[in-house]
């Protein structure tokens, strides 16, 4: 796990998980913190590859972290090219590793 | 992977070799390299590669960085879905 | 069309300060930010600021941010979050997309652009791999989201951002495997450089990253020595086992909206490249358009806040909310604080660069 639970300046993270939300990443369930950015939730769970590129099918992940570079885009609830570093998770959110420029409705056209 | 195969434009996956070739062909502004190679035409609109392309042009041609302006900026400067403009009265 | 007296774009340290200054003078202010929370990059700055007491030295960025938000709330400043400014038309009309759903056109008497800066990239074979990221991205991950971007980090760049983020990565529990600096000497604040050195982090000067390798994410980095013309020196490669490579290679002002609005630009490498021309009062060549913070030249959060105060003050004064004497009095105080922040080893270069912009002059176009 990559969560920073203890920090000398920011203090300890409240371990209360009652407020967690459930998200689906490529069909797999994850409990993540309510309101955190999708990218942070994925990184916390050791997921590094967010998409594969159009031309060369190369992996990409977080790069700028503040919504500028668009490298971290994924298909979220059937909408392709969502910048995961600036989009918060929502309960029941369906997130897919994006292939190329993605497809509306997600893979297989299912919303 | 050689140094020339390194991607300069991450979005459009344009390599250093492709950009240098464009410069050799006479495309020596950030906008012209963009039109020739698509570098800077991707989702991020050249935010990551623009400055690097200017530097490559400067190094190869001797044109001072000062006169290499960033690529043209156009509205909308953020990625938006076309559907939100449907039936728009104001714009 | 909706109207506001002063519209501030960007709610980071500069924008918040500008909005507070203009609102406390009595202006009807709207503060817009594309993010879901205000504060810009201030809340990831958990280190203590430098400077003297009146510059809030010794206070952590995160606490300054909280105070600014409280002040903005006390002044009942109207804040639109999740609101992306997509364009500026006819000099005063601002095109906003709210919540990715609704588009709004708004007219402003004065606009203050406080859009900040973005990190510069350094390209090398393998830099597309997940695990290669901006130092600022790593800082956002650890200090805002409280998630480690990786466990073993290579930092490219020993400037202030490079050493501060290295130190904060250590605080967050990551291992910083090495800090690599292309120049023959280290470039960052002594205090943070010393801290990471004491923690046993090796520094490699006159080195650069040659490549990143890994199947679908960074597993290894190769660094190499470079000569005075930045060419790799034969047979000096060192392989490092890392899962994260952070790039701290400076910042570039985010000036798209200034281009769209029709601002004149100057080229000032010491401040990040092309920046909108502006005077000491932070006004651009357009009479109604002001800038503050990193968009006007990359400096620090502390200078950004003072520039924000200056822009807010001038915008309010130009609308008749502050009498001339009072304006001059406040302007002098802000200017003195800015001068203080632009002194010393790091500050002087920025001071000279700023002065060069101010003295370059700029034609002021009458606004419609």
């Amino acid at each position: 796990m990559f969560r920073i639970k203890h920090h000398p300046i920011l203090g300890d993270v409240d371990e209360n998980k009652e407020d967690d939300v459930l998200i689906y990443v490529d069909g797999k369930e994850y409990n993540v913190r309510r309101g955190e950015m999708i990218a942070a939730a994925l990184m916390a769970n050791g997921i590094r590859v967010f998409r594969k590129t159009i031309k060369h099918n190369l992996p990409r992940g977080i790069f700028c972290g503040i919504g500028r570079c668009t490298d971290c885009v994924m298909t979220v609830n059937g909408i392709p090219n969502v910048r995961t570093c600036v989009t918060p998770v929502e309960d029941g959110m369906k997130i897919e590793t994006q292939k190329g420029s993605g497809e509306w409705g997600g893979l297989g056209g299912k919303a | 992977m050689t140094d020339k195969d390194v991607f300069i434009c991450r979005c459009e996956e344009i390599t250093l070799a492709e950009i240098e070739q464009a410069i050799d062909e006479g495309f020596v502004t950030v906008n012209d390299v963009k039109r020739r190679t698509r570098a800077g035409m991707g989702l991020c609109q050249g935010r990551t590669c623009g400055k690097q392309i200017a530097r490559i042009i400067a190094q190869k041609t001797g044109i001072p960085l000062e006169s290499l302006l960033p690529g043209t900026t156009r509205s909308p400067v953020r990625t938006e879905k076309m559907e939100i403009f449907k039936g728009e009265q104001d714009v | 069309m909706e109207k506001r007296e002063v519209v501030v774009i960007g709610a980071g340290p500069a924008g918040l300060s500008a909005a507070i200054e203009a609102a406390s003078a009595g202006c009807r202010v709207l503060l817009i930010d594309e993010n879901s929370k205000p504060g810009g990059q201030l809340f990831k700055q958990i280190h203590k600021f430098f400077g003297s007491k009146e510059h809030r030295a010794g206070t952590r960025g995160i606490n300054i941010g909280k105070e600014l938000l409280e002040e903005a709330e006390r002044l009942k400043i109207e804040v639109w979050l999740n609101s992306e400014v997509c364009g500026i038309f006819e000099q005063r009309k601002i095109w906003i997309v709210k919540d990715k759903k609704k588009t709004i056109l708004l007219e402003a008497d004065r606009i203050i652009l406080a859009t900040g800066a973005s990190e510069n990239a350094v390209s090398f074979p393998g830099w597309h791999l997940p695990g290669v990221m901006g130092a600022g991205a790593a800082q956002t991950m650890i200090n805002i989201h409280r998630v480690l971007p990786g466990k073993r980090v290579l930092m490219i760049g020993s400037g202030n951002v490079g050493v501060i983020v290295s130190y904060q990565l250590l605080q967050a529990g990551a291992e910083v495997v090495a800090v690599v600096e292309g120049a023959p000497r280290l470039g960052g604040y002594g205090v943070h450089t010393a801290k990471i050195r004491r923690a046993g982090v090796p520094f490699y000067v006159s080195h650069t990253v040659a490549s990143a390798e890994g199947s679908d994410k960074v597993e290894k980095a190769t660094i190499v020595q470079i000569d005075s013309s930045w060419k790799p020196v034969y047979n000096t490669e060192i392989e490092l086992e890392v899962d994260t490579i952070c790039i701290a290679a400076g910042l570039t002002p985010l000036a798209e909206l200034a281009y769209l609005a029709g601002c004149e630009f100057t080229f000032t490498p010491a401040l990040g490249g092309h920046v909108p021309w502006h005077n000491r009062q932070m006004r651009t060549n357009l009479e109604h358009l002001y800038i503050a913070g990193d968009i006007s030249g990359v400096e620090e959060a502390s200078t950004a806040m003072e520039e924000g105060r200056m822009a807010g003050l001038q915008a309010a004064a130009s609308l008749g909310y502050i009498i001339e004497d009072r304006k001059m009095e406040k302007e002098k105080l802000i200017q003195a604080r800015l001068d203080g922040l632009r002194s010393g080893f790091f500050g002087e270069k920025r001071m000279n660069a700023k002065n060069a912009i101010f003295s370059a002059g700029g034609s002021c176009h009458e606004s419609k």
Side-chain angles (χ1 to χ4, degrees):
Chain A
M1 283 298 286
F2 291 84
R3 294 220 186 259
I4 303 163
K5 288 183 182 143
H6 310 288
H7 195 286
I9 289 162
L10 297 171
D12 294 350
V13 168
D14 188 8
E15 279 293 295
N16 176 18
K17 291 188 174 160
E18 281 168 27
D19 210 26
D20 277 6
V21 296
L22 188 68
I23 60 168
Y24 302 87
V25 183
D26 293 330
K28 203 174 156 197
E29 288 180 12
Y30 292 89
N31 276 303
V32 299
R33 307 281 181 271
R34 181 180 298 276
E36 72 179 337
M37 297 304 156
I38 297 171
L42 267 54
M43 298 279 276
N45 285 287
I47 299 168
R48 292 284 179 277
V49 180
F50 288 17
R51 69 178 178 108
K52 293 290 183 75
T53 57
I54 303 172
K55 254 194 193 171
H56 298 291
N57 197 36
L58 291 169
R60 291 288 171 86
I62 275 280
F63 186 69
C64 84
I66 55 167
R68 287 284 77 78
C69 76
T70 66
D71 244 326
C72 69
V73 297
M74 299 177 83
T75 302
V76 176
N77 288 341
I79 301 167
N81 298 318
V82 173
R83 295 171 301 167
T84 58
C85 68
V86 290
T87 307
V89 293
E90 283 165 18
D91 205 16
M93 203 174 232
K94 291 184 177 63
I95 298 154
E96 291 167 50
T97 304
Q98 184 167 315
K99 305 269 188 288
S101 50
E103 267 179 67
W104 284 89
L107 295 175
K110 289 189 288 282
Chain B
M1 195 178 208
T2 72
D3 286 0
K4 297 282 177 195
D5 294 327
V6 64
F7 295 121
I8 299 299
C9 171
R10 294 169 66 93
C11 300
E12 292 288 318
E13 299 174 86
I14 309 299
T15 64
L16 176 60
E18 289 170 274
I19 286 163
E20 288 192 335
Q21 194 194 325
I23 297 167
D24 288 340
E25 290 168 10
F27 299 93
V28 291
T29 67
V30 175
N31 270 337
D32 282 354
V33 167
K34 173 165 106 177
R35 291 186 187 109
R36 182 73 181 96
T37 66
R38 289 196 61 82
M41 274 190 193
L43 204 52
C44 98
Q45 288 288 293
R47 286 195 182 89
T48 314
C49 67
K51 209 172 181 180
Q52 293 195 76
I53 290 169
R55 210 190 52 238
I56 297 164
I57 296 169
Q59 277 167 357
K60 256 186 100 66
T61 64
I63 296 170
L65 269 176
E66 178 169 3
S67 43
L68 288 165
L69 297 171
T72 310
T73 302
R74 287 188 186 86
S75 308
V77 296
R78 291 291 178 268
T79 50
E80 305 297 350
K81 282 184 277 183
M82 289 303 287
E83 76 176 7
I84 63 168
F85 307 126
K86 259 189 329 204
E88 191 50 50
Q89 308 281 314
D90 273 336
V91 178
Chain C
M1 196 186 309
E2 285 194 60
K3 284 187 170 69
R4 295 292 186 283
E5 285 177 328
V6 176
V7 174
V8 182
I9 302 171
L16 275 167
S17 305
I20 287 167
E21 196 66 37
S24 55
C27 295
R28 193 175 174 210
V29 179
L30 170 64
L31 177 59
I32 303 177
D33 197 282
E34 62 186 324
N35 296 293
S36 52
K37 285 177 187 153
Q41 309 306 314
L42 199 49
F43 285 95
K44 68 191 193 191
Q45 302 194 10
I46 62 169
H47 54 278
K48 291 176 180 169
F49 281 13
F50 297 100
S52 57
K53 214 171 202 165
E54 74 245 36
H55 309 130
R56 319 297 314 281
T59 310
R60 296 181 198 282
I62 188 168
N63 294 327
I64 294 173
K66 280 177 198 158
E67 288 170 27
L68 286 176
L69 292 189
E70 280 164 17
E71 210 176 335
E73 207 166 306
R74 206 165 44 240
L75 289 162
K76 297 190 169 57
I77 293 172
E78 183 180 13
V79 184
W80 289 4
L81 297 171
N82 297 308
S83 300
E84 297 176 304
V85 174
C86 286
I88 295 177
F89 304 115
E90 294 162 37
Q91 307 213 349
R92 286 180 185 185
K93 289 177 185 163
I94 305 170
W95 173 24
I96 303 155
V97 174
K98 224 174 170 180
D99 301 314
K100 288 267 168 213
K101 287 191 184 89
K102 193 176 159 206
T103 139
I104 299 164
L105 203 60
L106 193 127
E107 196 170 318
D109 291 330
R110 296 291 180 270
I111 299 172
I112 301 174
L113 296 179
T115 46
S118 66
E119 293 192 273
N120 291 336
V122 170
S123 53
F124 48 88
W127 78 304
H128 61 274
L129 284 170
V132 178
M133 66 188 73
Q139 195 184 27
T140 303
M141 275 290 153
I142 53 176
N143 295 344
I144 305 279
H145 306 316
R146 301 199 56 157
V147 172
L148 278 180
K151 302 216 159 137
R152 291 173 57 82
V153 185
L154 169 65
M155 180 64 66
I156 312 297
S158 75
N160 296 337
V161 173
V163 292
I164 285 174
V165 175
S166 291
Y167 183 59
Q168 292 174 354
L169 280 160
L170 294 174
Q171 286 180 321
E175 186 184 343
V176 179
V177 175
V179 177
V180 164
E181 170 59 52
R185 60 174 62 178
L186 300 175
Y189 287 136
V191 52
H192 288 99
T193 306
K195 274 179 179 173
I196 49 180
R197 216 188 251 291
R198 273 202 299 278
V201 175
F203 283 83
Y204 292 90
V205 292
S206 296
H207 274 71
T208 190
V209 60
S211 66
E213 282 151 68
S215 52
D216 64 355
K217 51 186 180 277
V218 175
E219 288 159 13
K220 199 172 75 179
T222 304
I223 62 169
V224 65
Q225 200 185 318
I226 47 176
D227 61 23
S228 54
S229 56
W230 293 68
K231 295 268 183 293
V233 177
Y234 177 70
N235 226 358
T236 57
E237 290 86 358
I238 301 169
E239 278 190 5
L240 300 169
E241 215 178 281
V242 296
D243 58 15
T244 305
I245 301 174
C246 289
I247 303 170
L251 299 144
T252 299
L254 272 172
E256 300 141 324
L257 292 173
Y259 279 105
L260 286 178
C263 289
E264 284 172 8
F265 278 71
T266 69
F267 184 68
T268 313
L271 297 173
H274 287 96
V275 300
W277 178 84
H278 56 284
N279 61 14
R280 264 183 212 285
Q281 287 73 38
M282 303 312 295
R283 206 203 61 213
T284 65
N285 60 298
L286 306 174
E287 198 184 24
H288 63 286
L289 196 130
Y290 296 76
I291 54 175
D294 278 354
I295 183 181
S296 74
V298 175
E299 295 190 79
E300 314 243 319
S302 42
T303 42
M305 290 185 280
E306 296 299 347
E307 287 188 339
R309 297 252 172 216
M310 180 69 90
L313 170 75
Q314 300 296 339
S318 72
L319 291 170
Y321 279 98
I322 304 170
I323 56 161
E324 185 67 12
D325 286 359
R326 177 83 183 120
K327 185 199 85 174
M328 290 308 289
E329 202 178 295
K330 288 194 109 180
E331 183 180 323
K332 260 189 207 154
L333 287 172
I334 297 170
Q335 193 56 56
R337 290 198 294 268
L338 277 168
D339 290 346
L341 287 165
R342 290 174 183 145
S343 60
F345 178 74
F346 290 105
E348 227 161 79
K349 263 187 252 170
R350 293 188 274 110
M351 168 86 96
N352 294 338
K354 274 283 184 182
N355 284 339
I357 295 176
F358 301 147
S359 60
S363 51
C364 176
H365 304 312
E366 283 295 313
S367 45
K368 285 170 202 164

